[in-house]
Amino acid sequence: MAQFASPMPSREFLWDVFQRVDKDRSGYISADELQTALSNGSWTPFNPETVRLMIGMFDKESRGTVSFNDFGALWKYVCDWQACFRSFDRDNSGNISRDELSMALTSFGYRLSPNLVNTMIVKFDRHGRGTILFDDFIQCCIVLHNLTSAFRQFDTDQDGIITIHYEQFLSMVLGLKL
């Protein structure tokens, strides 16, 4: 399993990793290939939804895959998330608790109620332990960011309140990469 470390490694190192991950030698990394290469620190497979979201973010050719040219940015993205995760995993448990998630989201600028933070823990805790693993933390933050960005398109006065029609709501949510 690939281990991510800062700072950005050399192009040669990334090429070596890319070739090892590109199992079918297509010149592109699929979500399945990337999932097998990533480690969430718990010896369990990386969340396939998180991998799909990340592939979608870095797939410049809309192929459902990542080319080598885009792989470096994806690598840096995962490294940055890993550093972020570690900074909020205060007890070094390898997962994010409710309090740690609340601190993380507050530091990102979100002001969410304890009930909503609890809802997010339930939503993104795949193992029912009341905590979020590294890969689920990434997914949680991406989903929250995407939902917030969509909301802000309608919140023109930035007061946290919008009025939209049902079809606008459906178009907004269904148009998101979640």
Side-chain angles (χ1 to χ4, degrees):
M1 296 197 180
Q3 295 296 313
F4 294 90
S6 299
M8 190 64 171
S10 70
R11 185 170 172 84
E12 293 78 23
F13 176 83
L14 286 175
W15 178 246
D16 181 55
V17 172
F18 182 87
Q19 287 182 308
R20 283 187 278 141
V21 174
D22 181 18
K23 298 287 186 198
D24 66 1
R25 301 288 179 241
S26 65
Y28 293 89
I29 294 177
S30 69
D32 289 341
E33 289 170 328
L34 184 60
Q35 182 186 15
T36 62
L38 293 174
S39 171
N40 67 14
S42 66
W43 302 106
T44 58
F46 220 75
N47 184 330
E49 282 302 305
T50 305
V51 175
R52 184 187 59 78
L53 281 171
M54 291 190 312
I55 289 281
M57 292 171 66
F58 293 93
D59 176 14
K60 302 289 190 249
E61 300 172 21
S62 298
R63 297 173 51 129
T65 59
V66 177
S67 69
F68 176 68
N69 290 334
D70 299 324
F71 182 68
L74 175 62
W75 182 279
K76 182 178 181 338
Y77 184 78
V78 174
C79 289
D80 290 347
W81 273 115
Q82 189 175 55
C84 177
F85 180 86
R86 286 182 178 151
S87 74
F88 291 110
D89 180 14
R90 304 284 172 146
D91 60 1
N92 294 315
S93 62
N95 55 56
I96 297 289
S97 68
R98 281 177 181 79
D99 291 340
E100 291 166 337
L101 180 62
S102 183
M103 283 190 314
L105 297 177
T106 299
S107 78
F108 299 158
Y110 296 103
R111 291 182 301 274
L112 305 175
S113 71
N115 284 342
L116 188 55
V117 173
N118 285 338
T119 299
M120 294 179 76
I121 289 284
V122 169
K123 168 78 176 157
F124 295 100
D125 173 16
R126 287 182 293 145
H127 302 291
R129 297 181 188 136
T131 59
I132 299 177
L133 296 172
F134 172 56
D135 50 344
D136 299 320
F137 178 70
I138 295 172
Q139 182 184 2
C140 173
C141 293
I142 292 171
V143 167
L144 183 59
H145 172 77
N146 289 348
L147 288 169
T148 301
S149 295
F151 183 91
R152 284 185 176 155
Q153 290 178 350
F154 292 95
D155 187 15
T156 55
D157 60 358
Q158 300 297 300
D159 68 353
I161 299 170
I162 63 173
T163 302
I164 58 176
H165 299 282
Y166 181 62
E167 284 199 20
Q168 286 175 305
F169 170 76
L170 289 176
S171 293
M172 177 179 71
V173 172
L174 295 174
L176 296 175
K177 288 186 175 182
L178 297 178

